[in-house]
Amino acid sequence: MATVLNTVSSIRFSNRGGRGVHHLHTSSFLKQVSVSLTRKRLVVRAAETDTNEVKPQAPDVAPASASGSSINQLLGIKGAAQETNKWKIRLQLMKPVTWPPLVWGVVCGAAASGNFQWTVEDVAKSIVCMMMSGPFLTGYTQTLNDWYDRDIDAINEPYRPIPSGAISENEVITQIWVLLLGGLGCAGLLDVWAGHKFPTVFYLAVGGSLLSYIYSAPPLKLKQNGWIGNFALGASYISLPWWAGQSLFGTLTPDVVVLTLLYSIAGLGIAIINDFKSIEGDRAMGLQSLPVAFGVDAAKWICVGAIDITQLSVAGYLLASGKSYYALALLGLIIPQVIFQFQYFLKDPFKYDVKYQASAQPFLVLGILVTALATSH
């Protein structure tokens, strides 16, 4: 009887509806099992099945990849369709959706300088600076981050280009170097174009590139610590492009450095949003992101608190500086952000992360421009 029970318990039935085949965990063909119990006869018939043909497969595509979006693939965000075109895969690794904040930072820096003029030359300079900050150096940062996150992505998002094998290791490394050298080349060109005696823009580009490297790469790997890593990310997205734009058209002053570093605390909050989708992999790899360290509920409040308190502090600074109209404008831009936080992010940071960012961040970046215009007067 024990032998019979062991044999019966080893049978695993597939879908309840049944498609005529039962997968069996045995090493040989099973033809028929007959068991007599008191006066009843239980018969279990299984089709002849070779278990060597039944092998578990790791997922290599996103759950919705069959209906994934080509636009999402080009922007480098989740819900992307699978792609075999190498150039589209390269663009996906560069995550174009992350470029606008850097481009906007250059605009804010140029505005803060008070010297930008709507001439062909100044517009051309700003476009090159935007290319340096966005496609080149941000593209370098994102590709580098994906390269060093390939083990985590194999857990969280195994369908991404690197862990899925859609692009080779040599191709990824080549892309990292091309983007880095292209960004540094643009920075050197801008210094010459602006007539700088000291290559300010170039050194900012070098510093930003180094920060990107130690953020993603061991042994420092700043992203292992949720506070340090997210602040470094916030500074990269807000402070560095602002400094580059202001240095290109004017002079970077200490008060602006302090103000933009303060704004980078809001960038820390924005960076936390992206940590929620990676909790499983971060925990498995020992990364202390804030959602891992503090839990989901605490982390979402830290996130919105960093964003809101930073902007309120800047508004207070502008008010104390006698720039009340700018302070009121900034306060007006904070209100819809708080509304969207309660409507989306605080309700479910996993489900509504993208929707929240799309709704609230335009008001955040407009507030940064208001602050930049205030510092220029």
Side-chain angles (χ1 to χ4, degrees):
M1 176 62 79
T3 304
V4 170
L5 290 177
N6 287 337
T7 304
V8 173
S9 65
S10 70
I11 300 175
R12 179 191 297 172
F13 294 97
S14 60
N15 294 336
R16 187 177 293 271
R19 296 188 180 180
V21 178
H22 300 290
H23 298 304
L24 309 180
H25 291 286
T26 59
S27 60
S28 60
F29 296 119
L30 292 181
K31 296 182 179 179
Q32 176 177 317
V33 177
S34 240
V35 182
S36 294
L37 298 174
T38 64
R39 295 183 180 179
K40 296 183 181 180
R41 185 176 181 83
L42 171 64
V43 179
V44 180
R45 290 186 175 87
E48 292 186 354
T49 306
D50 186 351
T51 56
N52 290 331
E53 296 177 2
V54 182
K55 297 179 180 179
Q57 294 182 350
D60 58 354
V61 295
S65 64
S67 58
S69 168
S70 296
I71 297 298
N72 288 15
Q73 189 274 330
L74 293 175
L75 292 176
I77 59 179
K78 65 182 181 181
Q82 279 197 302
E83 184 58 64
T84 57
N85 184 293
K86 281 295 170 64
W87 291 107
K88 290 183 179 180
I89 292 172
R90 289 184 183 281
L91 187 62
Q92 182 180 356
L93 286 175
M94 294 164 64
K95 294 186 181 66
V97 74
T98 63
W99 303 349
L102 282 295
V103 170
W104 190 257
V106 173
V107 172
C108 292
S113 72
N115 296 322
F116 177 83
Q117 303 293 326
W118 286 101
T119 62
V120 173
E121 183 179 11
D122 280 4
V123 170
K125 285 180 184 177
S126 64
I127 290 174
V128 174
C129 193
M130 291 173 187
M131 291 291 293
M132 174 197 74
S133 300
F136 280 109
L137 294 183
T138 305
Y140 151 79
T141 299
Q142 295 296 341
T143 308
L144 184 74
N145 187 61
D146 268 24
W147 171 250
Y148 282 108
D149 272 2
R150 59 192 185 276
D151 293 334
I152 297 177
D153 286 341
I155 299 172
N156 291 324
E157 300 172 281
Y159 45 83
R160 290 190 59 78
I162 297 176
S164 69
I167 187 169
S168 71
E169 294 184 1
N170 287 336
E171 289 170 324
V172 175
I173 293 171
T174 300
Q175 176 164 320
I176 290 170
W177 277 107
V178 168
L179 292 172
L180 173 61
L181 295 176
L184 296 179
C186 286
L189 171 64
L190 289 170
D191 280 318
V192 173
W193 199 348
H196 290 163
K197 293 181 180 179
F198 182 81
T200 310
V201 179
F202 178 79
Y203 278 108
L204 285 173
V206 170
S209 303
L210 178 60
L211 183 61
S212 297
Y213 180 79
I214 64 175
Y215 172 80
S216 298
L220 294 179
K221 203 174 180 72
L222 299 181
K223 67 183 298 178
Q224 292 182 97
N225 182 291
W227 294 108
I228 298 173
N230 285 334
F231 182 76
L233 196 61
S236 298
Y237 273 77
I238 295 176
S239 299
L240 284 173
W242 179 319
W243 296 350
Q246 186 160 349
S247 298
L248 182 60
F249 294 103
T251 302
L252 187 60
T253 56
D255 59 324
V256 169
V257 171
V258 173
L259 185 63
T260 51
L261 286 175
L262 177 61
Y263 240 122
S264 296
I265 299 175
L268 178 151
I270 296 170
I272 296 173
I273 298 172
N274 296 318
D275 290 337
F276 285 93
K277 67 181 181 182
S278 304
I279 290 178
E280 183 182 350
D282 289 347
R283 186 180 289 117
M285 301 302 294
L287 300 184
Q288 287 298 303
S289 66
L290 296 187
V292 171
F294 292 95
V296 171
D297 288 337
K300 67 184 182 183
W301 282 103
I302 293 172
C303 173
V304 299
I307 295 171
D308 297 342
I309 293 172
T310 296
Q311 294 179 93
L312 289 171
S313 300
V314 173
Y317 166 78
L318 294 178
L319 188 62
S321 301
K323 299 172 182 179
S324 54
Y325 291 112
Y326 290 103
L328 290 173
L330 183 55
L331 286 173
L333 292 168
I334 295 172
I335 293 172
Q337 295 178 60
V338 175
I339 292 173
F340 289 126
Q341 285 165 2
F342 281 95
Q343 184 176 358
Y344 296 125
F345 187 72
L346 291 173
K347 186 181 296 184
D348 191 335
F350 300 97
K351 182 178 179 181
Y352 296 117
D353 57 340
V354 174
K355 197 166 187 177
Y356 164 67
Q357 292 187 79
S359 303
Q361 285 194 19
F363 296 97
L364 173 68
V365 297
L366 283 174
I368 297 174
L369 180 60
V370 167
T371 305
L373 292 172
T375 61
S376 70
H377 292 80

